[in-house]
């Protein structure tokens, strides 16, 4: 809570996690075994070999492990480099990034383009000699950006719409033309939320991740991991808030008896608890499915549902955090003392319902994806004309 009040996680905490290779587990499973072994990383804390790490381990790590202030760059900004970056690009950057010697952020969102990724306006124009991109624009609400040496950045390399987007590895820290400033937000105070200005920033063409015009596809393949891990972490936050309120209600007395002896209090806890346990079971089901499905199949079958699970996690957190604040009463409205955990979690609710895809966008995406799957499966079941019913 001291870090929360200071709005900063001490730098040595990041370094301790990095030196123990405990940022690596935030990558999507399966882990990049070849790269890790090349860097001398054969296991996680001497207990799980890197080739055996799966999404069940990822879920435990996300549920119990470090906050987004430490993991966001590794979790969301490194995977596109691993999946789509050239060998030369990987060899230049991955050793420092995987070992935590340098930090990186994912820079998609802009002041005028949040969940509408296709509306990105930051441009990357090639120089006449074809050796560099000149990047101009702004990025906003970028987690960890203030501390990052690099950004995996969505840029517009050609015309409008999704086909004009590309991913570029852009230098940030002390790089000419780049300025960053921390943004004050209501919750997630230790995440280093950043506004990035890019004024004719020169970036080598070798920093292109994958191919020009494929940026939207690369971004979409990144979202499922992001949304699932957000859902896991948010579900844990909801459990923390509700557990704190439950304990408090066993101790706090009002009107001659404990709050827990009041039927209305038990009713409120029961409603929030039912939502929480259902969400927890759903998340565990997702995680199990991720261990059984290949990446391509999971993206198709679970993409829409992952968006739905992320949206539902925010809804459940809102209910559980609000329940906790109300049951703590005045203490739940205070930033110190017995109810500070409820107050702190409740401030984080918008940070669960907006980043990673705003809630309404996620709900709509989920249904559109499910309609597409339903129609596809229906066509597979149709009998050819003239075929027998038997």
């Amino acid at each position: 809570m001291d870090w929360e009040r200071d709005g900063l996680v001490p730098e040595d905490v990041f370094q301790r996690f990095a030196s123990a290779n405990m940022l690596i587990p935030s990558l999507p499973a399966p882990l990049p075994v070849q790269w890790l072994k090349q860097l001398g990383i054969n296991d996680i804390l001497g207990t799980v070999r890197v080739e055996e790490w799966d999404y069940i381990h990822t879920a435990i790590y996300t549920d119990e492990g470090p906050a987004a202030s430490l993991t966001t760059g590794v979790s969301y900004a490194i995977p596109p480099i691993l999946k789509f970056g050239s060998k030369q690009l990987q060899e230049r950057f991955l050793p420092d990034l995987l070992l935590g010697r340098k930090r990186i952020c994912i820079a998609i969102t802009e002041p005028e383009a949040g969940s509408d990724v296709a509306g990105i306006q930051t441009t990357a124009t090639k120089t006449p000699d074809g050796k560099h991109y000149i990047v101009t624009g702004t990025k906003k609400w970028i987690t960890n950006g203030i501390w990052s040496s690099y950004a995996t950045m969505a840029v517009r390399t050609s015309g409008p719409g999704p086909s004009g987007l590309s991913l570029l590895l852009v230098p940030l820290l002390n790089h000419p033309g780049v300025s960053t400033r921390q943004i004050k937000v209501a919750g997630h105070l230790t995440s280093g939320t950043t506004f990035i200005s890019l004024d004719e920033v020169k970036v080598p063409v070798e920093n292109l991740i994958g191919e020009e015009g494929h940026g939207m596809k690369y971004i979409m393949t990144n979202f499922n991991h992001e949304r699932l891990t957000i859902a896991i972490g948010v579900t844990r936050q909801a459990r923390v808030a509700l557990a704190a309120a439950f304990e408090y209600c066993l101790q706090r007395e009002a009107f001659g008896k404990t709050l827990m002896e009041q039927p209305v209090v038990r009713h409120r806890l029961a409603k929030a608890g039912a939502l929480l346990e259902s969400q927890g079971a759903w998340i565990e089901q997702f995680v199990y499915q991720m261990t059984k499905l290949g990446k391509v199949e999971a993206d198709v079958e679970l993409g829409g549902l992952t968006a739905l699970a992320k949206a539902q996690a925010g809804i459940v957190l809102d209910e559980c955090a609000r329940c906790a604040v109300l049951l703590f009463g005045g203490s739940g409205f205070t930033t110190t003392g017995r109810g500070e955990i409820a107050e702190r979690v409740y401030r984080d609710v918008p940070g669960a319902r907006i980043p990673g895809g705003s809630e309404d966008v996620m709900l709509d995406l989920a249904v559109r994806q499910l309609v597409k799957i339903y129609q596809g499966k229906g066509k597979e079941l149709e009998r050819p004309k003239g075929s027998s019913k038997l």
Side-chain angles (χ1 to χ4, degrees):
M1 296 300 288
D2 289 340
W3 298 347
E4 180 78 8
R5 280 188 283 271
D6 294 340
L8 180 70
V9 176
E11 176 63 23
D12 68 290
V13 175
F14 178 87
Q15 294 304 329
R16 288 207 303 272
F17 271 89
S19 62
N21 299 320
M22 278 303 286
L23 299 175
I24 299 296
S26 62
L27 290 166
L31 299 177
V33 173
Q34 184 176 347
W35 259 109
L36 295 179
K37 292 197 170 186
Q38 186 176 322
L39 296 172
I41 303 171
N42 298 301
D43 54 61
I44 303 299
L45 292 182
T47 57
V48 183
R49 290 185 297 182
V50 291
E51 59 267 32
E52 295 176 350
W53 189 273
D54 63 19
Y55 257 99
I56 292 176
H57 298 103
T58 302
I60 295 170
Y61 171 86
T62 305
D63 183 67
E64 301 179 359
S69 52
L70 299 178
T71 62
T72 297
V74 176
S75 187
Y76 311 141
I78 293 179
I81 304 172
L82 283 165
K83 294 174 189 172
F84 308 112
S86 67
K87 182 179 179 182
Q88 179 252 24
L89 185 73
Q90 292 179 356
E91 289 174 347
R92 283 171 56 208
F93 294 102
L94 284 181
D96 280 347
L97 295 174
L98 290 172
L99 294 174
R101 294 193 291 245
K102 297 286 181 65
R103 298 185 69 166
I104 189 170
C105 61
I106 183 80
I108 307 295
T109 308
E110 299 181 0
E112 303 301 325
S115 297
D116 179 18
V117 176
I120 281 171
Q121 298 175 12
T122 295
T123 58
T125 306
K126 275 185 180 176
T127 54
D129 61 9
K131 293 181 179 180
H132 292 86
Y133 288 102
I134 303 300
V135 180
T136 298
T138 56
K139 296 292 177 180
K140 194 173 183 180
W141 302 294
I142 306 304
T143 304
N144 296 175
I146 199 73
W147 309 305
S148 295
S149 297
Y150 309 105
T152 295
M153 187 177 292
V155 295
R156 185 162 299 284
T157 49
S158 59
S163 62
L165 296 181
S166 302
L167 281 186
L168 195 63
L169 189 61
V170 178
L172 295 182
L173 202 61
N174 301 320
H175 194 74
V178 177
S179 62
T180 61
R181 60 177 173 83
Q182 194 160 348
I183 304 171
K184 289 186 177 181
V185 288
H188 296 279
L189 301 184
T190 63
S191 294
T193 308
T194 305
F195 186 94
I196 302 173
S197 296
L198 305 135
D199 183 12
E200 297 188 352
V201 178
K202 184 181 281 190
V203 180
V205 292
E206 291 82 6
N207 283 27
L208 180 69
I209 299 172
E211 301 178 47
E212 274 196 11
H214 288 228
M216 190 69 169
K217 180 178 72 173
Y218 300 157
I219 293 166
M220 292 298 106
T221 64
N222 218 33
F223 272 146
N224 284 348
H225 174 68
E226 179 180 4
R227 289 165 183 162
L228 180 56
T229 53
I230 288 173
I232 293 168
V234 167
T235 303
R236 167 54 59 185
Q237 281 187 291
R239 191 172 296 281
V240 167
L242 200 61
F246 192 95
E247 182 181 19
Y248 179 75
C249 290
L250 288 169
Q251 301 167 355
R252 176 81 163 100
E253 291 190 2
F255 306 107
K257 50 187 174 181
T258 66
L259 292 181
M260 192 61 79
E261 294 177 272
Q262 314 279 356
V264 68
V265 169
R266 296 196 301 270
H267 179 75
R268 186 176 288 280
L269 286 168
K271 286 202 303 181
L275 286 173
L276 175 59
E277 294 305 330
S278 298
Q279 175 69 14
W282 194 19
I283 292 298
E284 290 178 2
Q285 180 190 59
F286 263 97
V287 170
Y288 177 76
Q289 287 176 301
M290 292 295 286
T291 67
K292 300 300 178 183
L293 298 176
K295 167 66 176 167
V296 174
E297 187 179 7
D299 283 347
V300 173
E301 298 292 335
L302 301 180
L305 290 173
T306 304
L308 192 59
K310 187 267 177 188
Q312 178 69 2
I315 294 168
V316 171
L317 177 64
D318 183 42
E319 179 65 29
C320 291
R322 185 155 24 91
C323 173
V325 168
L326 289 172
L327 293 178
F328 270 105
S331 296
F333 195 57
T334 309
T335 59
T336 57
R338 297 187 69 181
E340 65 178 337
I341 189 65
E343 187 275 337
R344 179 238 190 264
V345 173
Y346 193 54
R347 267 191 289 111
D348 280 353
V349 170
R353 303 180 79 170
I354 299 171
S358 190
E359 185 176 293
D360 291 324
V361 176
M362 293 297 93
L363 295 171
D364 178 66
L365 172 63
V367 175
R368 286 190 290 109
Q369 291 287 88
L370 290 171
V371 167
K372 187 184 297 184
I373 292 172
Y374 177 87
Q375 291 173 335
K377 298 289 185 183
K379 288 181 180 179
E380 291 177 9
L381 294 173
E382 289 178 1
R383 292 189 303 271
K385 289 183 178 181
S387 64
S388 171
K389 292 183 180 181
L390 297 178

